[in-house]
Amino acid sequence: YCFAALPCVVGEWSHWSGCAEQCQPDLRIRRRYVQQEPKNGGEPCPALEEKAGCLEYLTYQGEDCGHEHVPAFITTSEYGKERKRRAASSLWPSDKEEAGYCVEFKTESLSHHCALENRPYARWMQYLREGHIVCVACQPPAMNTDTHRCSGDGHNADRSKILHWEAVGNSQCQGTWKKIRQLKHCSCPLVHSFIFT
């Protein structure tokens, strides 16, 4: 007998679940189920679960959360070199050059839109991967002049807190990460080096 190979068949994706937590970045999930197991070496089953970062701005009671958890808006560190030149002549005196700092994060989740990005100025988004250590520099132009911090840097967050980031130039390229530590200078490879915007 010759048995025909039967591929795995899966159903449609479910609707996205709500955000697991209100008022803080977290994960939402969608699932699909196997309708036919593969047989005789047929095509194996694809991923049955997808996760995405999310952030609810309303509590279950419908009250505003207050925006203490704005996402970190990031862009490639290449843009920082440009910006430094422009800022050099502006209100930041040159002795503030050392005023910046670096935050290391470990990426937890990201939307599939990052990998699909192929516009020349946004190709840096393709290098974002889950589970990688990335460096994000906080430089004077992005710093709050009072607090000397960058928005979304996870300042008071402990290491288990899931924080939210979004790529500038493609709001669909976004995800979650956890803060590892704050350093004086960034030392990640270029493709994993970003700046707060």
Side-chain angles (χ1 to χ4, degrees):
Y1 288 109
C2 179
F3 293 105
L6 290 175
C8 176
V9 177
V10 295
E12 294 293 308
W13 284 112
S14 68
H15 287 297
W16 282 105
S17 69
C19 213
E21 291 275 348
Q22 307 308 100
C23 299
Q24 66 182 57
D26 211 310
L27 291 176
R28 55 190 184 142
I29 295 175
R30 64 179 187 167
R31 295 189 170 92
R32 54 188 175 182
Y33 295 93
V34 175
Q35 293 176 336
Q36 174 186 288
E37 295 285 352
K39 291 198 174 80
N40 310 320
E43 189 81 21
C45 295
L48 299 175
E49 188 175 277
E50 246 186 11
K51 293 180 178 173
C54 57
L55 178 57
E56 303 278 357
Y57 288 105
L58 292 177
T59 64
Y60 291 121
Q61 290 75 38
E63 289 160 19
D64 189 14
C65 294
H67 297 298
E68 58 168 324
H69 295 298
V70 287
F73 290 103
I74 59 167
T75 188
T76 168
S77 61
E78 290 294 291
Y79 171 71
K81 298 190 181 80
E82 263 309 294
R83 188 169 65 174
K84 231 176 217 153
R85 272 201 290 277
R86 288 203 305 274
S89 55
S90 73
L91 74 162
W92 285 93
S94 54
D95 62 296
K96 284 278 201 308
E97 194 60 34
E98 293 305 303
Y101 57 91
C102 179
V103 187
E104 280 184 3
F105 295 95
K106 184 167 191 269
T107 52
E108 292 283 312
S109 72
L110 69 156
S111 64
H112 69 282
H113 295 281
C114 304
L116 301 176
E117 183 57 81
N118 57 12
R119 291 172 295 179
Y121 68 89
R123 284 213 181 105
W124 61 271
M125 296 177 198
Q126 295 177 2
Y127 299 104
L128 287 158
R129 298 276 186 279
E130 281 179 26
H132 277 195
I133 304 286
V134 297
C135 289
V136 189
C138 176
Q139 298 166 340
M143 256 183 214
N144 177 310
T145 42
D146 297 326
T147 62
H148 292 274
R149 304 207 71 83
C150 285
S151 181
D153 71 353
H155 174 42
N156 293 319
D158 61 51
R159 291 179 61 152
S160 63
K161 194 169 183 62
I162 292 184
L163 303 166
H164 199 81
W165 58 266
E166 188 176 302
V168 173
N170 178 354
S171 61
Q172 291 181 300
C173 173
Q174 53 172 282
T176 58
W177 56 21
K178 289 179 181 175
K179 178 181 173 178
I180 296 174
R181 56 187 175 155
Q182 183 175 317
L183 303 165
K184 199 146 177 54
H185 300 289
C186 285
S187 59
C188 290
L190 192 60
V191 291
H192 294 154
S193 298
F194 307 100
I195 57 172
F196 293 102
T197 44

